[in-house]
Amino acid sequence: MPTPRTRPDYSADERTQLVGWLDLQRSIVRWKCEGISEEDAHRAVLPGSPLMTVAGIVSHLRWTEHGWFQVIFRDQEAHLNPQYAEAAEEDADFMADGIPLDLLLEAYDRECTASNSVFSVHAPDAPSQHPRFTSGAPSLRWIVLHMIEETARHAGHLDAIREILDGERGYY
């Protein structure tokens, strides 16, 4: 089934627009994963970025959703991919070797649902709760805007990687 990709209505309220734009970018991420082979999902095509794979990006985006909405905003425990939970390496959230893409997408979908539920019960200007986030307390609005930017940037990476891997391309 194709992933729906729709923009929020021009006259929608702020919450609907913010979640709508984020959900659009999330759906583009899912779209870029449709029909890709497991081998290609884990294939690095950028010589200087061996972790920049389709699977690695989905893993990273799952962690980013969790990190911003659950850890920083709600002050919950961090849960990286169990396989790499103890990894001290930088970019461990991109490490997806041996993890099937469908499992990564399921985990990503769960985090997106959890993120949307956070936004559904807190005001956009509510401050984050993480006491050890030393640069300040970003509002939920700031977090959602950052996640739109982060997800869109990686959707662009996925677009280029997919075209290199198998010629699949398209926008929106």
Side-chain angles (χ1 to χ4, degrees):
M1 180 168 92
T3 304
R5 295 179 301 276
T6 56
R7 292 178 172 154
D9 188 72
Y10 292 136
S11 59
D13 62 87
E14 178 187 26
R15 184 182 308 268
T16 302
Q17 286 190 33
L18 289 171
V19 172
W21 282 109
L22 182 52
D23 280 344
L24 171 62
Q25 296 307 315
R26 291 167 171 159
S27 69
I28 291 171
V29 167
R30 264 216 157 267
W31 176 41
K32 293 301 169 179
C33 295
E34 289 175 5
I36 192 169
S37 72
E38 196 64 41
E39 182 181 354
D40 279 348
H42 289 85
R43 180 175 294 140
V45 295
L46 303 172
S49 300
L51 298 177
M52 187 68 77
T53 64
V54 171
I57 290 170
V58 173
S59 176
H60 167 72
L61 287 171
R62 187 220 58 92
W63 165 247
T64 305
E65 290 273 347
H66 178 75
W68 280 104
F69 289 97
Q70 304 306 322
V71 177
I72 293 171
F73 186 78
R74 294 185 62 228
D75 192 28
Q76 301 295 309
E77 286 294 315
H79 299 290
L80 198 54
N81 289 333
Q83 182 174 354
Y84 302 106
E86 301 303 318
E89 291 181 56
E90 185 176 346
D91 295 329
D93 52 321
F94 278 92
M95 294 178 182
D97 288 346
I99 305 172
L101 181 60
D102 63 335
L103 293 180
L104 291 167
L105 287 167
E106 287 172 17
Y108 179 54
D109 289 346
R110 281 192 304 274
E111 285 302 331
C112 292
T113 299
S115 298
N116 282 356
S117 72
V118 167
F119 197 60
S120 73
V121 297
H122 295 280
D125 58 349
S128 62
Q129 302 302 309
H130 196 293
R132 295 168 307 281
F133 193 67
T134 58
S135 62
S139 69
L140 188 54
R141 178 185 295 106
W142 188 98
I143 290 170
V144 172
L145 288 168
H146 171 64
M147 286 306 303
I148 293 168
E149 175 271 328
E150 177 86 4
T151 308
R153 183 165 44 93
H154 287 305
H157 291 139
L158 288 171
D159 197 35
I161 290 170
R162 245 344 255 277
E163 187 169 348
I164 291 168
L165 285 169
D166 62 10
E168 193 65 33
R169 58 190 181 139
Y171 171 72
Y172 186 59

Short mmCIF file of all heavy atoms in Angstrom, two decimals, residues 26-92:
data_model
loop_
_atom_site.label_atom_id
_atom_site.label_comp_id
_atom_site.label_asym_id
_atom_site.label_seq_id
_atom_site.Cartn_x
_atom_site.Cartn_y
_atom_site.Cartn_z
N ARG A 26 7.99 12.30 7.33
CA ARG A 26 8.08 10.91 7.77
C ARG A 26 7.57 9.97 6.68
O ARG A 26 8.13 8.89 6.45
CB ARG A 26 7.28 10.70 9.04
CG ARG A 26 7.85 11.37 10.27
CD ARG A 26 6.82 11.35 11.36
NE ARG A 26 7.29 11.78 12.65
CZ ARG A 26 6.47 12.20 13.62
NH1 ARG A 26 5.15 12.24 13.43
NH2 ARG A 26 6.97 12.57 14.78
N SER A 27 6.47 10.36 6.03
CA SER A 27 5.92 9.50 4.98
C SER A 27 6.85 9.43 3.77
O SER A 27 6.91 8.40 3.09
CB SER A 27 4.51 9.96 4.58
OG SER A 27 4.55 11.19 3.89
N ILE A 28 7.58 10.50 3.51
CA ILE A 28 8.57 10.46 2.42
C ILE A 28 9.70 9.50 2.78
O ILE A 28 10.17 8.74 1.92
CB ILE A 28 9.07 11.88 2.09
CG1 ILE A 28 7.95 12.71 1.45
CG2 ILE A 28 10.29 11.82 1.16
CD1 ILE A 28 8.25 14.18 1.28
N VAL A 29 10.12 9.48 4.03
CA VAL A 29 11.13 8.51 4.48
C VAL A 29 10.63 7.10 4.20
O VAL A 29 11.33 6.29 3.60
CB VAL A 29 11.46 8.70 5.98
CG1 VAL A 29 12.25 7.52 6.53
CG2 VAL A 29 12.21 10.00 6.20
N ARG A 30 9.41 6.81 4.60
CA ARG A 30 8.84 5.47 4.37
C ARG A 30 8.77 5.17 2.87
O ARG A 30 9.06 4.06 2.45
CB ARG A 30 7.46 5.38 4.99
CG ARG A 30 7.52 4.77 6.34
CD ARG A 30 6.26 3.91 6.52
NE ARG A 30 6.42 2.90 7.49
CZ ARG A 30 6.79 1.66 7.24
NH1 ARG A 30 7.15 1.29 6.05
NH2 ARG A 30 6.83 0.77 8.20
N TRP A 31 8.35 6.15 2.08
CA TRP A 31 8.22 5.99 0.63
C TRP A 31 9.57 5.61 0.02
O TRP A 31 9.65 4.75 -0.84
CB TRP A 31 7.68 7.28 0.02
CG TRP A 31 7.58 7.32 -1.47
CD1 TRP A 31 7.15 6.31 -2.31
CD2 TRP A 31 7.87 8.42 -2.31
NE1 TRP A 31 7.17 6.74 -3.61
CE2 TRP A 31 7.61 8.04 -3.63
CE3 TRP A 31 8.33 9.72 -2.06
CZ2 TRP A 31 7.79 8.89 -4.71
CZ3 TRP A 31 8.51 10.57 -3.13
CH2 TRP A 31 8.24 10.16 -4.43
N LYS A 32 10.63 6.26 0.48
CA LYS A 32 11.96 6.00 -0.06
C LYS A 32 12.45 4.60 0.29
O LYS A 32 13.39 4.10 -0.30
CB LYS A 32 12.97 7.05 0.40
CG LYS A 32 12.68 8.43 -0.17
CD LYS A 32 12.71 8.37 -1.68
CE LYS A 32 12.18 9.61 -2.33
NZ LYS A 32 12.25 9.53 -3.79
N CYS A 33 11.80 3.94 1.25
CA CYS A 33 12.17 2.58 1.65
C CYS A 33 11.34 1.51 0.95
O CYS A 33 11.67 0.33 1.02
CB CYS A 33 12.02 2.42 3.16
SG CYS A 33 13.15 3.46 4.12
N GLU A 34 10.27 1.93 0.28
CA GLU A 34 9.38 0.96 -0.35
C GLU A 34 10.08 0.24 -1.51
O GLU A 34 10.68 0.87 -2.38
CB GLU A 34 8.11 1.65 -0.88
CG GLU A 34 7.19 2.11 0.22
CD GLU A 34 5.99 2.89 -0.28
OE1 GLU A 34 5.79 3.02 -1.51
OE2 GLU A 34 5.24 3.39 0.56
N GLY A 35 9.99 -1.08 -1.48
CA GLY A 35 10.49 -1.89 -2.59
C GLY A 35 12.00 -2.07 -2.66
O GLY A 35 12.50 -2.68 -3.61
N ILE A 36 12.73 -1.57 -1.70
CA ILE A 36 14.18 -1.71 -1.74
C ILE A 36 14.56 -3.11 -1.20
O ILE A 36 13.93 -3.61 -0.28
CB ILE A 36 14.89 -0.59 -0.94
CG1 ILE A 36 16.39 -0.58 -1.24
CG2 ILE A 36 14.59 -0.70 0.54
CD1 ILE A 36 17.11 0.64 -0.70
N SER A 37 15.57 -3.69 -1.80
CA SER A 37 16.01 -5.00 -1.31
C SER A 37 16.72 -4.83 0.02
O SER A 37 17.26 -3.77 0.34
CB SER A 37 16.96 -5.66 -2.32
OG SER A 37 18.22 -5.00 -2.34
N GLU A 38 16.75 -5.90 0.79
CA GLU A 38 17.43 -5.87 2.09
C GLU A 38 18.92 -5.57 1.89
O GLU A 38 19.52 -4.80 2.65
CB GLU A 38 17.24 -7.21 2.82
CG GLU A 38 17.56 -7.17 4.28
CD GLU A 38 16.65 -6.24 5.07
OE1 GLU A 38 15.44 -6.19 4.84
OE2 GLU A 38 17.20 -5.54 5.94
N GLU A 39 19.49 -6.17 0.87
CA GLU A 39 20.91 -5.93 0.58
C GLU A 39 21.17 -4.46 0.27
O GLU A 39 22.10 -3.86 0.82
CB GLU A 39 21.35 -6.81 -0.61
CG GLU A 39 22.81 -6.67 -0.95
CD GLU A 39 23.22 -7.54 -2.14
OE1 GLU A 39 22.39 -8.33 -2.63
OE2 GLU A 39 24.36 -7.38 -2.58
N ASP A 40 20.34 -3.87 -0.58
CA ASP A 40 20.52 -2.45 -0.92
C ASP A 40 20.25 -1.54 0.27
O ASP A 40 20.89 -0.49 0.42
CB ASP A 40 19.64 -2.05 -2.10
CG ASP A 40 20.24 -2.44 -3.44
OD1 ASP A 40 21.43 -2.82 -3.49
OD2 ASP A 40 19.50 -2.34 -4.45
N ALA A 41 19.32 -1.93 1.13
CA ALA A 41 19.01 -1.11 2.30
C ALA A 41 20.21 -0.96 3.22
O ALA A 41 20.32 0.02 3.95
CB ALA A 41 17.83 -1.71 3.08
N HIS A 42 21.12 -1.91 3.17
CA HIS A 42 22.30 -1.89 4.03
C HIS A 42 23.59 -1.56 3.27
O HIS A 42 24.67 -1.61 3.85
CB HIS A 42 22.44 -3.24 4.75
CG HIS A 42 21.39 -3.44 5.79
ND1 HIS A 42 20.14 -3.93 5.51
CD2 HIS A 42 21.39 -3.18 7.11
CE1 HIS A 42 19.43 -3.98 6.60
NE2 HIS A 42 20.16 -3.53 7.60
N ARG A 43 23.47 -1.23 2.02
CA ARG A 43 24.65 -0.95 1.19
C ARG A 43 25.04 0.53 1.31
O ARG A 43 24.24 1.42 1.10
CB ARG A 43 24.38 -1.28 -0.27
CG ARG A 43 25.59 -1.00 -1.17
CD ARG A 43 25.37 -1.43 -2.60
NE ARG A 43 25.25 -2.88 -2.59
CZ ARG A 43 24.38 -3.56 -3.34
NH1 ARG A 43 23.56 -2.93 -4.14
NH2 ARG A 43 24.35 -4.87 -3.27
N ALA A 44 26.30 0.75 1.62
CA ALA A 44 26.84 2.12 1.68
C ALA A 44 27.27 2.52 0.27
O ALA A 44 27.96 1.76 -0.41
CB ALA A 44 28.03 2.18 2.63
N VAL A 45 26.85 3.70 -0.16
CA VAL A 45 27.21 4.17 -1.50
C VAL A 45 28.08 5.42 -1.48
O VAL A 45 28.56 5.86 -2.51
CB VAL A 45 25.94 4.43 -2.36
CG1 VAL A 45 25.19 3.13 -2.61
CG2 VAL A 45 25.04 5.48 -1.72
N LEU A 46 28.29 5.97 -0.29
CA LEU A 46 29.13 7.16 -0.15
C LEU A 46 30.42 6.73 0.54
O LEU A 46 30.40 6.38 1.72
CB LEU A 46 28.40 8.23 0.68
CG LEU A 46 27.04 8.66 0.13
CD1 LEU A 46 26.34 9.57 1.12
CD2 LEU A 46 27.21 9.35 -1.21
N PRO A 47 31.55 6.75 -0.18
CA PRO A 47 32.80 6.21 0.37
C PRO A 47 33.20 6.79 1.72
O PRO A 47 33.71 6.08 2.57
CB PRO A 47 33.83 6.57 -0.70
CG PRO A 47 33.07 6.85 -1.92
CD PRO A 47 31.70 7.31 -1.51
N GLY A 48 32.96 8.05 1.95
CA GLY A 48 33.36 8.67 3.21
C GLY A 48 32.33 8.54 4.32
O GLY A 48 32.56 9.00 5.43
N SER A 49 31.20 7.91 4.03
CA SER A 49 30.11 7.79 5.01
C SER A 49 29.56 6.38 5.02
O SER A 49 28.45 6.11 4.56
CB SER A 49 29.00 8.79 4.68
OG SER A 49 29.48 10.10 4.69
N PRO A 50 30.31 5.42 5.58
CA PRO A 50 29.88 4.02 5.52
C PRO A 50 28.61 3.71 6.29
O PRO A 50 27.97 2.69 6.03
CB PRO A 50 31.08 3.26 6.10
CG PRO A 50 31.80 4.26 6.93
CD PRO A 50 31.59 5.59 6.27
N LEU A 51 28.21 4.55 7.22
CA LEU A 51 26.98 4.30 7.97
C LEU A 51 25.76 4.96 7.32
O LEU A 51 24.63 4.74 7.76
CB LEU A 51 27.12 4.82 9.41
CG LEU A 51 28.21 4.15 10.25
CD1 LEU A 51 28.29 4.81 11.62
CD2 LEU A 51 27.96 2.66 10.38
N MET A 52 25.99 5.76 6.27
CA MET A 52 24.91 6.46 5.60
C MET A 52 24.26 5.51 4.58
O MET A 52 24.50 5.58 3.39
CB MET A 52 25.43 7.73 4.92
CG MET A 52 24.36 8.61 4.33
SD MET A 52 23.30 9.40 5.53
CE MET A 52 24.34 10.71 6.12
N THR A 53 23.45 4.60 5.13
CA THR A 53 22.69 3.66 4.32
C THR A 53 21.22 3.93 4.55
O THR A 53 20.84 4.67 5.48
CB THR A 53 23.00 2.21 4.74
OG1 THR A 53 22.54 2.02 6.10
CG2 THR A 53 24.50 1.89 4.65
N VAL A 54 20.37 3.34 3.74
CA VAL A 54 18.93 3.49 3.96
C VAL A 54 18.59 3.00 5.36
O VAL A 54 17.92 3.69 6.13
CB VAL A 54 18.14 2.74 2.86
CG1 VAL A 54 16.66 2.68 3.21
CG2 VAL A 54 18.36 3.39 1.50
N ALA A 55 19.06 1.81 5.72
CA ALA A 55 18.78 1.26 7.04
C ALA A 55 19.39 2.14 8.14
O ALA A 55 18.76 2.36 9.18
CB ALA A 55 19.33 -0.16 7.15
N GLY A 56 20.58 2.64 7.93
CA GLY A 56 21.24 3.49 8.91
C GLY A 56 20.48 4.78 9.16
O GLY A 56 20.36 5.24 10.30
N ILE A 57 19.96 5.36 8.10
CA ILE A 57 19.19 6.61 8.24
C ILE A 57 17.89 6.35 9.01
O ILE A 57 17.52 7.12 9.90
CB ILE A 57 18.92 7.26 6.87
CG1 ILE A 57 20.24 7.80 6.30
CG2 ILE A 57 17.87 8.36 6.98
CD1 ILE A 57 20.15 8.26 4.86
N VAL A 58 17.20 5.26 8.68
CA VAL A 58 15.97 4.94 9.41
C VAL A 58 16.29 4.70 10.89
O VAL A 58 15.57 5.19 11.77
CB VAL A 58 15.24 3.73 8.78
CG1 VAL A 58 14.06 3.29 9.64
CG2 VAL A 58 14.78 4.07 7.37
N SER A 59 17.37 3.99 11.16
CA SER A 59 17.80 3.77 12.55
C SER A 59 18.06 5.10 13.25
O SER A 59 17.61 5.32 14.38
CB SER A 59 19.05 2.90 12.56
OG SER A 59 19.54 2.74 13.88
N HIS A 60 18.78 5.98 12.59
CA HIS A 60 19.09 7.29 13.15
C HIS A 60 17.82 8.11 13.41
O HIS A 60 17.67 8.72 14.48
CB HIS A 60 20.02 8.06 12.20
CG HIS A 60 20.15 9.50 12.52
ND1 HIS A 60 20.84 9.98 13.61
CD2 HIS A 60 19.65 10.60 11.88
CE1 HIS A 60 20.79 11.30 13.64
NE2 HIS A 60 20.06 11.70 12.59
N LEU A 61 16.90 8.11 12.46
CA LEU A 61 15.67 8.88 12.63
C LEU A 61 14.83 8.33 13.77
O LEU A 61 14.20 9.09 14.51
CB LEU A 61 14.88 8.94 11.33
CG LEU A 61 15.47 9.85 10.26
CD1 LEU A 61 14.73 9.67 8.94
CD2 LEU A 61 15.45 11.31 10.70
N ARG A 62 14.82 7.02 13.94
CA ARG A 62 14.11 6.43 15.08
C ARG A 62 14.70 6.94 16.38
O ARG A 62 14.01 7.37 17.29
CB ARG A 62 14.19 4.89 15.04
CG ARG A 62 13.31 4.28 16.13
CD ARG A 62 13.91 3.09 16.82
NE ARG A 62 15.17 3.26 17.47
CZ ARG A 62 15.35 3.60 18.76
NH1 ARG A 62 14.32 3.86 19.53
NH2 ARG A 62 16.55 3.69 19.26
N TRP A 63 16.02 6.91 16.45
CA TRP A 63 16.69 7.39 17.65
C TRP A 63 16.45 8.88 17.86
O TRP A 63 16.22 9.34 18.98
CB TRP A 63 18.18 7.10 17.59
CG TRP A 63 18.94 7.89 18.61
CD1 TRP A 63 19.82 8.89 18.37
CD2 TRP A 63 18.84 7.79 20.03
NE1 TRP A 63 20.29 9.42 19.56
CE2 TRP A 63 19.68 8.75 20.59
CE3 TRP A 63 18.10 6.98 20.88
CZ2 TRP A 63 19.82 8.92 21.97
CZ3 TRP A 63 18.24 7.16 22.25
CH2 TRP A 63 19.10 8.11 22.77
N THR A 64 16.47 9.65 16.79
CA THR A 64 16.28 11.10 16.91
C THR A 64 14.88 11.41 17.43
O THR A 64 14.73 12.28 18.31
CB THR A 64 16.54 11.78 15.55
OG1 THR A 64 17.84 11.43 15.09
CG2 THR A 64 16.44 13.28 15.65
N GLU A 65 13.86 10.73 16.91
CA GLU A 65 12.50 10.90 17.45
C GLU A 65 12.50 10.60 18.94
O GLU A 65 11.98 11.38 19.73
CB GLU A 65 11.52 9.96 16.73
CG GLU A 65 11.22 10.29 15.30
CD GLU A 65 10.09 11.28 15.11
OE1 GLU A 65 9.33 11.57 16.06
OE2 GLU A 65 9.96 11.77 13.97
N HIS A 66 13.06 9.46 19.31
CA HIS A 66 13.08 9.05 20.71
C HIS A 66 13.86 10.05 21.57
O HIS A 66 13.41 10.46 22.64
CB HIS A 66 13.71 7.65 20.83
CG HIS A 66 13.82 7.16 22.22
ND1 HIS A 66 12.74 6.70 22.94
CD2 HIS A 66 14.89 7.08 23.05
CE1 HIS A 66 13.13 6.35 24.15
NE2 HIS A 66 14.43 6.57 24.25
N GLY A 67 15.03 10.46 21.06
CA GLY A 67 15.88 11.36 21.82
C GLY A 67 15.23 12.70 22.11
O GLY A 67 15.27 13.18 23.25
N TRP A 68 14.61 13.29 21.10
CA TRP A 68 14.03 14.61 21.31
C TRP A 68 12.71 14.57 22.08
O TRP A 68 12.50 15.35 23.01
CB TRP A 68 13.84 15.35 19.98
CG TRP A 68 15.12 15.94 19.51
CD1 TRP A 68 15.93 15.48 18.51
CD2 TRP A 68 15.77 17.10 20.05
NE1 TRP A 68 17.04 16.28 18.40
CE2 TRP A 68 16.97 17.28 19.32
CE3 TRP A 68 15.47 17.99 21.07
CZ2 TRP A 68 17.85 18.32 19.59
CZ3 TRP A 68 16.35 19.03 21.33
CH2 TRP A 68 17.52 19.18 20.60
N PHE A 69 11.80 13.68 21.71
CA PHE A 69 10.48 13.69 22.35
C PHE A 69 10.45 12.96 23.69
O PHE A 69 9.80 13.43 24.63
CB PHE A 69 9.42 13.10 21.40
CG PHE A 69 9.09 13.99 20.25
CD1 PHE A 69 9.69 13.80 19.01
CD2 PHE A 69 8.19 15.03 20.39
CE1 PHE A 69 9.39 14.64 17.94
CE2 PHE A 69 7.89 15.88 19.33
CZ PHE A 69 8.50 15.67 18.11
N GLN A 70 11.12 11.81 23.78
CA GLN A 70 11.04 11.03 25.01
C GLN A 70 12.14 11.40 26.01
O GLN A 70 11.87 11.55 27.19
CB GLN A 70 11.11 9.53 24.68
CG GLN A 70 10.05 9.06 23.71
CD GLN A 70 8.63 9.42 24.11
OE1 GLN A 70 8.27 9.36 25.28
NE2 GLN A 70 7.81 9.80 23.14
N VAL A 71 13.37 11.52 25.53
CA VAL A 71 14.49 11.77 26.44
C VAL A 71 14.57 13.25 26.82
O VAL A 71 14.54 13.60 28.00
CB VAL A 71 15.82 11.29 25.82
CG1 VAL A 71 17.00 11.62 26.73
CG2 VAL A 71 15.77 9.79 25.53
N ILE A 72 14.66 14.13 25.85
CA ILE A 72 14.83 15.55 26.17
C ILE A 72 13.53 16.19 26.63
O ILE A 72 13.50 16.87 27.66
CB ILE A 72 15.45 16.30 24.98
CG1 ILE A 72 16.87 15.79 24.76
CG2 ILE A 72 15.42 17.82 25.21
CD1 ILE A 72 17.53 16.29 23.50
N PHE A 73 12.42 15.96 25.91
CA PHE A 73 11.18 16.62 26.33
C PHE A 73 10.59 15.99 27.58
O PHE A 73 10.24 16.68 28.52
CB PHE A 73 10.15 16.64 25.19
CG PHE A 73 8.93 17.44 25.58
CD1 PHE A 73 8.97 18.82 25.55
CD2 PHE A 73 7.78 16.82 26.02
CE1 PHE A 73 7.88 19.58 25.96
CE2 PHE A 73 6.68 17.55 26.43
CZ PHE A 73 6.73 18.93 26.39
N ARG A 74 10.48 14.66 27.62
CA ARG A 74 9.81 13.99 28.73
C ARG A 74 10.75 13.50 29.82
O ARG A 74 10.30 12.99 30.84
CB ARG A 74 9.00 12.81 28.21
CG ARG A 74 7.84 13.24 27.32
CD ARG A 74 6.96 12.07 26.90
NE ARG A 74 6.35 11.45 28.07
CZ ARG A 74 6.34 10.14 28.29
NH1 ARG A 74 6.88 9.31 27.44
NH2 ARG A 74 5.77 9.65 29.37
N ASP A 75 12.07 13.58 29.63
CA ASP A 75 13.07 13.11 30.59
C ASP A 75 12.92 11.62 30.88
O ASP A 75 12.99 11.17 32.02
CB ASP A 75 13.03 13.92 31.89
CG ASP A 75 14.25 13.65 32.78
OD1 ASP A 75 15.32 13.31 32.23
OD2 ASP A 75 14.13 13.76 34.01
N GLN A 76 12.74 10.84 29.82
CA GLN A 76 12.68 9.39 29.93
C GLN A 76 14.06 8.79 29.66
O GLN A 76 14.96 9.48 29.20
CB GLN A 76 11.66 8.81 28.93
CG GLN A 76 10.26 9.33 29.12
CD GLN A 76 9.66 8.90 30.44
OE1 GLN A 76 9.68 7.73 30.78
NE2 GLN A 76 9.12 9.86 31.19
N GLU A 77 14.22 7.51 29.90
CA GLU A 77 15.48 6.81 29.62
C GLU A 77 15.71 6.72 28.12
O GLU A 77 14.77 6.54 27.35
CB GLU A 77 15.46 5.40 30.21
CG GLU A 77 15.59 5.36 31.70
CD GLU A 77 16.94 5.85 32.18
OE1 GLU A 77 17.96 5.45 31.61
OE2 GLU A 77 16.96 6.64 33.13
N ALA A 78 16.96 6.78 27.71
CA ALA A 78 17.32 6.64 26.30
C ALA A 78 17.37 5.16 25.94
O ALA A 78 17.88 4.35 26.70
CB ALA A 78 18.68 7.28 26.05
N HIS A 79 16.81 4.83 24.78
CA HIS A 79 16.82 3.45 24.29
C HIS A 79 17.33 3.43 22.86
O HIS A 79 16.58 3.66 21.92
CB HIS A 79 15.42 2.84 24.34
CG HIS A 79 14.86 2.78 25.72
ND1 HIS A 79 15.35 1.91 26.67
CD2 HIS A 79 13.89 3.49 26.31
CE1 HIS A 79 14.68 2.09 27.79
NE2 HIS A 79 13.79 3.04 27.61
N LEU A 80 18.62 3.17 22.71
CA LEU A 80 19.23 3.03 21.39
C LEU A 80 18.93 1.63 20.89
O LEU A 80 18.37 0.82 21.61
CB LEU A 80 20.74 3.24 21.53
CG LEU A 80 21.56 3.56 20.28
CD1 LEU A 80 21.00 4.77 19.54
CD2 LEU A 80 23.01 3.84 20.67
N ASN A 81 19.30 1.31 19.65
CA ASN A 81 19.12 -0.06 19.16
C ASN A 81 19.79 -0.98 20.17
O ASN A 81 20.94 -0.77 20.52
CB ASN A 81 19.76 -0.23 17.79
CG ASN A 81 19.00 0.50 16.72
OD1 ASN A 81 17.80 0.70 16.84
ND2 ASN A 81 19.68 0.89 15.66
N PRO A 82 19.10 -2.02 20.64
CA PRO A 82 19.67 -2.90 21.66
C PRO A 82 21.03 -3.47 21.27
O PRO A 82 21.91 -3.61 22.12
CB PRO A 82 18.63 -4.02 21.79
CG PRO A 82 17.38 -3.46 21.23
CD PRO A 82 17.77 -2.42 20.24
N GLN A 83 21.21 -3.73 20.01
CA GLN A 83 22.47 -4.29 19.52
C GLN A 83 23.64 -3.35 19.79
O GLN A 83 24.77 -3.78 19.93
CB GLN A 83 22.31 -4.56 18.02
CG GLN A 83 23.49 -5.19 17.36
CD GLN A 83 23.15 -5.55 15.92
OE1 GLN A 83 22.04 -5.42 15.47
NE2 GLN A 83 24.16 -5.99 15.20
N TYR A 84 23.36 -2.05 19.84
CA TYR A 84 24.42 -1.07 20.00
C TYR A 84 24.24 -0.21 21.25
O TYR A 84 24.84 0.85 21.37
CB TYR A 84 24.49 -0.17 18.76
CG TYR A 84 24.73 -0.97 17.51
CD1 TYR A 84 23.72 -1.19 16.60
CD2 TYR A 84 25.97 -1.54 17.27
CE1 TYR A 84 23.94 -1.95 15.46
CE2 TYR A 84 26.21 -2.30 16.14
CZ TYR A 84 25.19 -2.50 15.24
OH TYR A 84 25.41 -3.26 14.13
N ALA A 85 23.43 -0.65 22.17
CA ALA A 85 23.12 0.16 23.36
C ALA A 85 24.35 0.53 24.15
O ALA A 85 24.41 1.59 24.76
CB ALA A 85 22.12 -0.57 24.25
N GLU A 86 25.35 -0.31 24.16
CA GLU A 86 26.55 -0.03 24.92
C GLU A 86 27.66 0.58 24.06
O GLU A 86 28.75 0.82 24.53
CB GLU A 86 27.07 -1.32 25.58
CG GLU A 86 26.06 -1.97 26.52
CD GLU A 86 25.61 -1.04 27.63
OE1 GLU A 86 26.46 -0.33 28.21
OE2 GLU A 86 24.40 -1.00 27.91
N ALA A 87 27.37 0.82 22.79
CA ALA A 87 28.39 1.33 21.88
C ALA A 87 28.82 2.73 22.30
O ALA A 87 28.00 3.60 22.54
CB ALA A 87 27.86 1.37 20.45
N ALA A 88 30.10 2.90 22.41
CA ALA A 88 30.65 4.20 22.77
C ALA A 88 30.99 4.99 21.50
O ALA A 88 31.41 6.13 21.59
CB ALA A 88 31.89 4.03 23.64
N GLU A 89 30.81 4.36 20.37
CA GLU A 89 31.17 4.99 19.11
C GLU A 89 30.24 6.15 18.77
O GLU A 89 29.04 6.09 19.02
CB GLU A 89 31.08 3.97 17.97
CG GLU A 89 32.11 2.89 18.02
CD GLU A 89 31.96 1.96 16.85
OE1 GLU A 89 32.00 2.44 15.69
OE2 GLU A 89 31.80 0.76 17.09
N GLU A 90 30.84 7.16 18.17
CA GLU A 90 30.04 8.24 17.63
C GLU A 90 29.18 7.67 16.51
O GLU A 90 29.60 6.77 15.79
CB GLU A 90 30.96 9.34 17.09
CG GLU A 90 30.22 10.55 16.62
CD GLU A 90 31.16 11.66 16.17
OE1 GLU A 90 32.36 11.60 16.46
OE2 GLU A 90 30.68 12.57 15.52
N ASP A 91 27.99 8.18 16.35
CA ASP A 91 27.05 7.75 15.31
C ASP A 91 26.56 6.33 15.49
O ASP A 91 26.13 5.67 14.54
CB ASP A 91 27.65 7.93 13.91
CG ASP A 91 27.90 9.39 13.58
OD1 ASP A 91 27.16 10.25 14.07
OD2 ASP A 91 28.85 9.67 12.83
N ALA A 92 26.57 5.80 16.72
CA ALA A 92 26.06 4.45 16.97
C ALA A 92 24.61 4.32 16.54
O ALA A 92 24.17 3.24 16.17
CB ALA A 92 26.22 4.09 18.44
#
